[in-house]
Amino acid sequence: MAITWQDIHKEALERIHSRDWAPGALIPNEADLAAELGCSRATVNRALRALAEDGWLERRRKAGTRVAMAPQRRARLAIPILREAVEARGQSFAHSLLSRETEAMPPLERALLGLSAEAVTQRVRTLFLADGQPYALEDRWVHLDGAPGFAAQELKEVCANEWLVQHTPFARGTMDYLASPAGPFEARHLGCPEGTALLAMERATFSPDTAVTFVRTHFAPGHRVRLEL
Amino acid sequence: MAITWQDIHKEALERIHSRDWAPGALIPNEADLAAELGCSRATVNRALRALAEDGWLERRRKAGTRVAMAPQRRARLAIPILREAVEARGQSFAHSLLSRETEAMPPLERALLGLSAEAVTQRVRTLFLADGQPYALEDRWVHLDGAPGFAAQELKEVCANEWLVQHTPFARGTMDYLASPAGPFEARHLGCPEGTALLAMERATFSPDTAVTFVRTHFAPGHRVRLEL
DNA sequence: TAGTGGTCTAGACCACGGC
DNA sequence: CCGTGGTCTAGACCACTAG
């Protein structure tokens, strides 16, 4: 066995880059490519499928495979686990529980999770530190029916973030990045003037059907989310 | 043929969610699963590989397959093509060339692209409109050696963004999201007060080896980037 | 060194969807 | 209709690596 699917993947990318296969153009079908390259159709399929998943190719039965008009349109993003993000930079990680109280969710967030006004929720605010410096400020609502055991959990050692990740078999959710000015609370804890432009993340998590948690995280000034293409 | 790899994919996810396969636990090997489920090993492999790519499983030869400690840590992000993002919402798309001049890149951006001070670059600023309202403001430097033909291109019909996508066989780059306060220029064109917290994107593009372009895009207030998990 | 995932093959059937 | 990609199978060899 000489030809691997990675070989074909690479070869195809070169043809795309060299415009041998131009954007929008139809490329040979799998059977022809297999014959040309001297391998089985399954191997070609594996390579072309990978390219399609990354947005380089568009494939349709009967219509064949075309080079995407705007190639490379998908990227993978590793969802940040705060502790790991910090420790990966060689910094120490710490968190401090700022407040924890039973509190109804504001209507907007409640609607996002699809909860009724009767749902019992707990609000937990946590500050995360990297090498002692403010790193992120988390404002979280937890739906107690969706996270059994949470109410009984002390959050000294394990922060809410990690507890939920480890104890909630969640299936889906949304995550938004947006810019948000620092309010008095963020300014105080992140050590920046009010009104500073901060990167924020809003995340809603559902455990198959029930809402579990909504969290809004403000990152310290200068924070970036990087995608490698 | 009764069992598809999607069936196995679904079944495995259910076992993970039900904690039948708990985080960190070793799951049966491919051969055993194939026997249990009554299909070939290749089909099992296809399903488990997909789960590993999405971060649910961690696989290592000889060590076997384990459920990830923090499942579901990867998401796919479709890189936004401005025109398509706007038109997908049913809005009209327009762009307006604000300025275009031969101008040296500031040192910081130049270093990011790995260019020398002698490199000839052109700065292009473009405003994008959705239904006539400001949508995004793009500030772009183009390395002319990396984008042959760009200098001769009028940017009335086709904006710099689209021309580069269609004419530059690029292979890699980085993309950062960050928060940035509106300066006088952004405030004027996006129609917001100076200092408003804006979501910004910075992107560096390399055509295999040569730097092509660096672009900083400020989005109108309220803009979000959404990831589906 | 032995077990596990990674991959290739050759052949087959099928679903989709242009034409 | 019928070509194209999507997928399954059974068997095989190999690469990696934990023990």
Side-chain angles (χ1 to χ4, degrees), chain B:
Chain B
M1 170 224 330
I3 308 276
T4 68
W5 72 266
Q6 290 95 335
D7 292 332
I8 300 175
H9 186 276
K10 190 178 157 196
E11 168 67 19
L13 266 184
E14 278 170 11
R15 293 189 187 185
I16 293 171
H17 289 156
S18 69
R19 312 199 138 249
D20 191 1
W21 291 347
L26 202 59
I27 75 172
N29 68 34
E30 294 188 349
D32 289 350
L33 278 174
E36 178 199 332
L37 300 168
C39 64
S40 78
R41 206 194 116 202
T43 307
V44 173
N45 179 280
R46 179 85 150 83
L48 298 190
R49 185 164 22 91
L51 288 168
E53 281 173 4
D54 287 339
W56 293 102
L57 299 176
E58 289 170 1
R59 320 194 74 195
R60 284 201 327 269
R61 284 161 154 141
K62 166 72 179 178
T65 300
R66 295 180 174 281
V67 178
M69 292 300 286
Q72 184 63 5
R73 298 172 45 189
R74 262 163 246 167
R76 278 217 134 83
L77 172 67
I79 297 170
I81 309 286
L82 293 177
R83 173 187 295 278
E84 291 176 11
V86 168
E87 290 178 345
R89 304 192 311 187
Q91 300 184 301
S92 71
F93 177 81
H95 60 91
S96 138
L97 184 62
L98 300 179
S99 74
R100 181 182 190 178
E101 45 205 310
T102 299
E103 181 178 333
M105 287 180 78
L108 217 67
E109 284 82 356
R110 209 176 61 219
L112 219 152
L113 289 188
L115 291 178
S116 71
E118 287 77 33
V120 181
T121 55
Q122 210 169 67
R123 184 181 191 179
V124 179
R125 290 194 275 198
T126 312
L127 178 66
F128 297 93
L129 302 165
D131 272 354
Q133 295 301 307
Y135 179 79
L137 184 60
E138 182 184 278
D139 191 359
R140 180 187 289 275
W141 277 268
V142 178
H143 178 220
L144 295 185
D145 284 349
F150 182 79
Q153 180 65 30
E154 281 215 60
L155 298 176
K156 296 295 181 194
E157 287 303 311
V158 182
C159 62
N161 194 327
E162 290 179 310
W163 190 91
L164 286 166
V165 163
Q166 286 167 23
H167 292 79
T168 310
F170 74 85
R172 62 191 182 85
T174 59
M175 192 161 89
D176 286 7
Y177 281 98
L178 62 148
S180 164
F185 189 75
E186 288 80 26
R188 182 161 73 254
H189 286 101
L190 293 177
C192 62
E194 273 191 53
T196 303
L198 300 178
L199 187 65
M201 182 190 77
E202 291 186 1
R203 184 163 165 183
T205 303
F206 301 82
S207 181
D209 294 321
T210 27
V212 176
T213 185
F214 175 84
V215 59
R216 180 179 289 119
T217 304
H218 284 89
F219 294 95
H223 189 89
R224 288 164 175 253
V225 179
R226 164 152 299 192
L227 309 181
E228 303 282 347
L229 303 185

